[in-house]
Amino acid sequence: MTPPQRTAGATLDEVAERAGVSRATASRVLSGDPRVSDRAREAVRTAASALSYVPRQAARSLATRRSDALAFVVAESGDKFFADPFFAGVLRGAQVAAAERRRQLLFVVVANDDDRTRLEEYAAGGHVDGAMFLSVHGNDPLPGRVHRLGVPVVLAGRPANPRVGIPYVTADNVTGGRLAAQALLARGSLRPATVCGPCDMTASLDRLAGFRAELAENGIDLPSTAVTEGDFTISGGHRAMERLLESGERPDAVFAANDLMAVGALRALRARRIRVPDDVAVVGFDDVPLAADADPPLTTVRQPLEVMGRHMARMLMDLADGGQTTSATLAVELVTRTSA
Amino acid sequence: MTPPQRTAGATLDEVAERAGVSRATASRVLSGDPRVSDRAREAVRTAASALSYVPRQAARSLATRRSDALAFVVAESGDKFFADPFFAGVLRGAQVAAAERRRQLLFVVVANDDDRTRLEEYAAGGHVDGAMFLSVHGNDPLPGRVHRLGVPVVLAGRPANPRVGIPYVTADNVTGGRLAAQALLARGSLRPATVCGPCDMTASLDRLAGFRAELAENGIDLPSTAVTEGDFTISGGHRAMERLLESGERPDAVFAANDLMAVGALRALRARRIRVPDDVAVVGFDDVPLAADADPPLTTVRQPLEVMGRHMARMLMDLADGGQTTSATLAVELVTRTSA
DNA sequence: CTGAAAGCGCTAACAC
DNA sequence: GTGTTAGCGCTTTCAG
């Protein structure tokens, strides 16, 4: 294993020498410290660009004890992660916010225990100034462990058992569930059903709770045979819908806890020649691009994905900069298309 | 901006002291150097875990001049990236290979010029030991720039103008195009057409060239009206298929340069009540999970996605470790389902 | 406003 | 085998 032969790359000392100032002054200029004479500033800038100087992060990081990088962690198998445009929206928002403050966003998928360990070491190694966790199931210990290491952490979604000191950002899932119910009710549904999300995620539970509550308030009961659990994937939604159709009486409306499952449900219905929305109305959740493309276009509850990402990144940076933050619950809205 | 208050975290000195050895010995133990007495090794290990010591990467990196991290760079808008399961496959392979050699994989999406600059600085800053680039369009200068910085680079896909010193990994796209043609020919197609990929990507060009060559060798000409460009997305494939149907005589078979576009084509056909494969046979490319789920299931040319990712990561690590590598072209195979 | 000097935490010769 | 000694490149008091 020969040593890596990276082209040397100018050092701050060289820049300073060329500019005829001390390394300290050069450092000040490059980090935007105002107390430097214009003359020196100019000289350093010129020298730096002449040498195409790029600061060595490791050195800076060692001295400052910060990395200027944020981890965007998805605790999910790779496929599921990629298959769901939900993440893309959040990631984009986070990316933008990070860029605003000149932070690099590092994207990490942890699919197994090895990955988890590696991430933990990575975070503990001071490689990131903070980590945001997406798709946290149940009581995943990872965020807590990283937090305990002293690394700022922000969660997407309300944690099952509120962890002290770990703030989160979530959409107002309960209201979202209610909106879905209202949409179905508005179409005159009398036998609604739902394909809910994994029971180990609060987002699933909250949506279901809101849905059920709204129905109850309108005098409609949601029997357990009308509730079936999906896994937030298209095929999971498909299977869940089939289960719903096979057991007991056919529902006249169904709320799928995310758009992917709603699309799966749509497919199951079409396979049986059941018309949507005439025979069965369908409402999804998220409003990912796929929803508008679905056949028929999907009525869904929109979560502000990009805003969520942006918010999480900002919270994390505030925390990393020694500030405070508090959790946030973001509003959702119903987007009416033709499926309900 | 108060200083980040990371919990101190034990240092190597502390571990050494507690173990009653010198820092050098402690370092040796922790980095697996064999020339250490068992006694010392044991003591250091105990001390380290008692203090829950975690090495500070910045310090190590500064001393070793390496970061043990690899960048997985996707030069594409976020959505497109996420929408295409192609990337998921490659990423998974890369992840596995990186893990094998204890490297952290950093995932970066560069969607605009700002992102590019930031990535370049990041790489120049010595934050990664190498970078693999996916979805490289035409003459994107980014990989070349990073390479010129002295950072090992590997490309997914054959570059348009072979860059000296930048190795790549690609599927055998020409053969893939031929296989697609053979599949269509086998169904007796006489008027095949194709939805090709973006013309600024060699993968598109190669697939088209192979397709055309195979047809020609079988006495079939591919007129320009039977070739339409898509953008590797579902909706792009949909639109392209419509263009194909509207212009001139209807084709009796179509080769879409990736599965996403093939699915779009399937939809366009269904919208017009054109039966697949009876009226028009369809062949895709990639063999992403979606292909098997399509209606009807898609016949497609499989690329070994995970193998490609694994290979790229290994090449990069070999390069980073001072070794040599050469480009590789991986075999593809036809997966026959019902669409052709 | 600027420079000198002291680290940040770790690795890697080099001696013993 | 193990300890000593230099740095790696940058920031940051502390004087001036």
Side-chain angles (χ1 to χ4, degrees):
Chain A
M1 210 154 78
T2 40
Q5 22 209 352
R6 180 141 319 155
T7 48
T11 125
L12 188 55
D13 276 313
E14 294 165 1
V15 173
E17 185 180 358
R18 177 163 180 139
V21 300
S22 76
R23 186 181 7 155
T25 300
S27 173
R28 290 190 188 102
V29 172
L30 268 14
S31 55
D33 189 317
R35 355 192 265 276
V36 182
S37 67
D38 289 353
R39 221 172 125 293
R41 189 186 315 282
E42 183 60 25
V44 171
R45 291 234 168 96
T46 312
S49 81
L51 266 37
S52 60
Y53 167 77
V54 180
R56 206 145 213 301
Q57 266 294 353
R60 169 179 299 195
S61 184
L62 185 56
T64 60
R65 305 175 129 268
R66 47 182 283 176
S67 69
D68 290 323
L70 263 27
F72 184 98
V73 186
V74 179
E76 198 72 80
S77 74
D79 344 359
K80 204 178 268 183
F81 168 73
F82 283 96
D84 197 339
F86 163 85
F87 296 110
V90 180
L91 178 60
R92 178 135 18 108
Q95 187 102 287
V96 169
E100 273 170 7
R101 296 204 211 163
R102 320 234 69 214
R103 242 85 159 204
Q104 177 71 33
L105 202 63
L106 303 183
F107 181 89
V108 187
V109 180
V110 300
N112 55 44
D113 284 347
D114 250 34
D115 290 348
R116 306 176 102 72
T117 310
R118 209 135 15 82
L119 171 68
E120 209 179 322
E121 284 172 0
Y122 195 73
H127 243 315
V128 292
D129 292 339
M132 53 195 122
F133 289 84
L134 269 82
S135 181
V136 181
H137 287 258
N139 299 318
D140 187 339
L142 191 57
R145 302 176 68 116
V146 173
H147 177 248
R148 220 161 297 128
L149 250 23
V151 178
V153 167
V154 171
L155 261 28
R158 184 174 68 75
N161 50 351
R163 303 147 199 269
V164 283
I166 306 194
Y168 61 87
V169 172
T170 182
D172 187 345
N173 290 307
V174 175
T175 300
R178 282 181 180 274
L179 290 175
Q182 285 168 16
L184 264 22
L185 255 15
R187 284 199 58 88
S189 167
L190 293 173
R191 285 195 317 281
T194 183
V195 176
C196 65
C199 291
D200 61 351
M201 296 182 72
T202 56
S204 311
L205 269 20
D206 291 350
R207 288 172 200 172
L208 177 58
F211 184 65
R212 173 168 267 143
E214 185 70 22
L215 291 180
E217 286 169 22
N218 283 273
I220 294 185
D221 178 53
L222 192 67
S224 66
T225 53
V227 178
T228 153
E229 183 178 345
D231 61 358
F232 281 156
T233 69
I234 292 184
S235 57
H238 190 117
R239 287 191 300 270
M241 186 72 234
E242 283 180 335
R243 259 178 276 133
L244 234 31
L245 292 171
E246 281 159 14
S247 72
E249 40 186 357
R250 175 195 295 182
D252 58 8
V254 39
F255 165 43
N258 80 341
D259 289 343
L260 251 31
M261 294 196 299
V263 167
L266 249 26
R267 291 193 188 163
L269 291 167
R270 181 165 52 219
R272 301 202 180 205
R273 305 264 181 281
I274 297 175
R275 292 168 307 162
V276 175
D278 309 80
D279 299 333
V280 176
V282 176
V283 171
F285 206 106
D286 281 350
D287 194 27
V288 295
L290 184 68
D293 284 347
D295 178 24
L298 205 60
T299 289
T300 187
V301 179
R302 171 184 296 158
Q303 308 197 59
L305 302 181
E306 290 202 32
V307 176
M308 288 168 67
R310 204 183 317 146
H311 206 90
M312 287 175 67
R314 289 197 183 138
M315 285 168 67
L316 211 46
M317 292 187 284
D318 289 345
L319 247 27
D321 293 346
Q324 296 287 311
T325 337
T326 52
S327 299
T329 299
L330 275 29
V332 297
E333 77 186 294
L334 184 74
V335 178
T336 307
R337 297 207 179 86
T338 50
S339 73
Chain B
M1 210 154 78
T2 39
Q5 22 209 353
R6 180 140 317 156
T7 48
T11 125
L12 187 56
D13 277 312
E14 295 165 2
V15 173
E17 184 180 359
R18 176 162 181 143
V21 302
S22 76
R23 185 176 15 151
T25 299
S27 174
R28 290 191 187 102
V29 173
L30 268 15
S31 55
D33 188 318
R35 359 194 261 277
V36 182
S37 67
D38 289 353
R39 220 172 125 293
R41 189 184 316 281
E42 184 58 28
V44 170
R45 291 236 168 95
T46 312
S49 82
L51 266 36
S52 60
Y53 166 79
V54 180
R56 205 146 215 299
Q57 266 294 354
R60 171 181 302 204
S61 183
L62 186 57
T64 59
R65 306 175 125 266
R66 46 182 284 178
S67 68
D68 290 323
L70 263 28
F72 184 97
V73 185
V74 179
E76 198 70 80
S77 73
D79 345 0
K80 203 178 267 180
F81 168 74
F82 282 95
D84 198 339
F86 164 84
F87 296 110
V90 181
L91 178 60
R92 178 139 17 110
Q95 187 102 287
V96 170
E100 272 169 7
R101 295 205 212 162
R102 318 235 70 214
R103 243 83 162 205
Q104 177 71 32
L105 203 63
L106 304 183
F107 181 91
V108 186
V109 179
V110 299
N112 56 44
D113 284 349
D114 250 35
D115 289 349
R116 306 176 101 73
T117 310
R118 208 134 18 81
L119 171 68
E120 210 180 322
E121 283 171 2
Y122 195 72
H127 243 315
V128 291
D129 292 340
M132 55 195 118
F133 288 84
L134 269 83
S135 180
V136 180
H137 287 258
N139 299 317
D140 187 338
L142 192 57
R145 301 177 68 117
V146 172
H147 177 249
R148 221 160 296 128
L149 250 23
V151 178
V153 167
V154 171
L155 261 29
R158 184 174 66 77
N161 49 351
R163 304 147 199 269
V164 285
I166 307 194
Y168 61 88
V169 172
T170 183
D172 187 344
N173 290 307
V174 175
T175 299
R178 282 181 180 276
L179 289 175
Q182 284 168 17
L184 264 22
L185 255 16
R187 283 200 59 89
S189 168
L190 294 172
R191 286 195 315 283
T194 183
V195 175
C196 64
C199 291
D200 61 350
M201 296 182 72
T202 56
S204 311
L205 269 21
D206 291 350
R207 287 171 201 172
L208 177 57
F211 185 65
R212 172 168 269 141
E214 186 71 22
L215 291 180
E217 287 169 21
N218 282 275
I220 292 186
D221 178 53
L222 191 68
S224 65
T225 52
V227 178
T228 152
E229 184 179 346
D231 61 358
F232 281 156
T233 68
I234 292 184
S235 56
H238 190 117
R239 288 191 300 271
M241 187 71 234
E242 283 180 337
R243 260 179 275 134
L244 235 31
L245 292 172
E246 281 156 15
S247 74
E249 39 185 0
R250 176 195 293 181
D252 60 7
V254 39
F255 166 42
N258 79 341
D259 289 343
L260 251 31
M261 295 196 298
V263 167
L266 248 27
R267 291 192 190 165
L269 292 166
R270 180 165 53 219
R272 302 203 180 204
R273 306 261 181 284
I274 296 173
R275 292 168 307 163
V276 175
D278 310 80
D279 300 330
V280 176
V282 176
V283 171
F285 205 107
D286 281 351
D287 194 27
V288 294
L290 184 67
D293 285 344
D295 176 24
L298 205 60
T299 288
T300 188
V301 178
R302 172 184 296 159
Q303 307 196 59
L305 302 181
E306 290 201 31
V307 176
M308 289 169 65
R310 203 184 316 147
H311 207 89
M312 288 176 64
R314 288 194 184 140
M315 285 168 68
L316 212 45
M317 293 187 284
D318 288 345
L319 247 26
D321 292 345
Q324 297 285 311
T325 337
T326 53
S327 300
T329 297
L330 275 29
V332 298
E333 78 185 293
L334 184 74
V335 178
T336 306
R337 298 210 176 87
T338 50
S339 74

